[in-house]
Amino acid sequence: MRMNLKKKKKGLVFKEDGQEYAQVSKMLVNGPLEAMCFDDVKRLCHIRGKLRKKVWINTSDIIMVSLRDYQDNKADILFKYNANKAISLKAYGKLPKHTKINETDTFGPGDYNEI
């Protein structure tokens, strides 16, 4: 007998106290990553076991992190937003207006000739 499993669609998840939105700036070796939080602090983030090998995180993705009370420069990743949900967060005013969503271009203007 097969069970009919349906994926539950989650609504938009907003941050709570002790959490912050961030954008992935650099992937590091063996799992951790460097993210620029929107409170202007660069943090080393750890991918939780629940997300590891199930949710693929890339550079410039928008994530929600849990801040550590005892280590201000480290955090744990709670949630990854897809492009549509990140655009919705930006429309609600939860992300800064200068945030670039779903853009992996690492070149600045005029850097194309240096390749």
Side-chain angles (χ1 to χ4, degrees):
M1 185 165 105
R2 290 182 68 188
M3 294 179 65
N4 188 10
L5 299 176
K6 294 183 179 178
K7 287 186 178 180
K8 292 182 181 179
K9 287 193 174 186
K10 293 183 180 181
L12 198 56
V13 180
F14 295 109
K15 72 175 183 174
E16 297 174 1
D17 192 35
Q19 299 174 347
E20 188 61 50
Y21 301 115
Q23 189 164 24
V24 178
S25 57
K26 186 194 314 185
M27 298 297 295
L28 301 175
V29 178
N30 292 333
L33 56 90
E34 202 172 82
M36 188 65 187
C37 294
F38 293 122
D39 60 352
D40 293 330
V41 177
K42 188 176 279 192
R43 291 188 171 93
L44 181 67
C45 298
H46 178 269
I47 301 172
R48 294 176 37 200
K50 183 178 179 181
L51 297 178
R52 188 178 294 271
K53 295 188 180 180
K54 294 180 178 98
V55 177
W56 295 103
I57 299 174
N58 296 314
T59 305
S60 80
D61 283 344
I62 304 295
I63 56 175
M64 184 185 342
V65 297
S66 173
L67 305 177
R68 295 182 180 178
D69 294 334
Y70 52 93
Q71 293 174 318
D72 191 42
N73 61 343
K74 292 188 178 180
D76 300 304
I77 299 174
L78 296 177
F79 191 78
K80 175 195 167 192
Y81 294 98
N82 62 21
N84 293 335
K85 289 186 179 184
I87 290 169
S88 297
L89 278 178
K90 193 172 180 181
Y92 279 113
K94 301 292 183 183
L95 299 180
K97 295 200 184 287
H98 63 73
T99 304
K100 294 180 180 179
I101 297 172
N102 205 16
E103 293 183 17
T104 57
D105 184 18
T106 57
F107 296 107
D111 288 344
Y112 299 108
N113 296 334
E114 297 177 12
I115 297 177

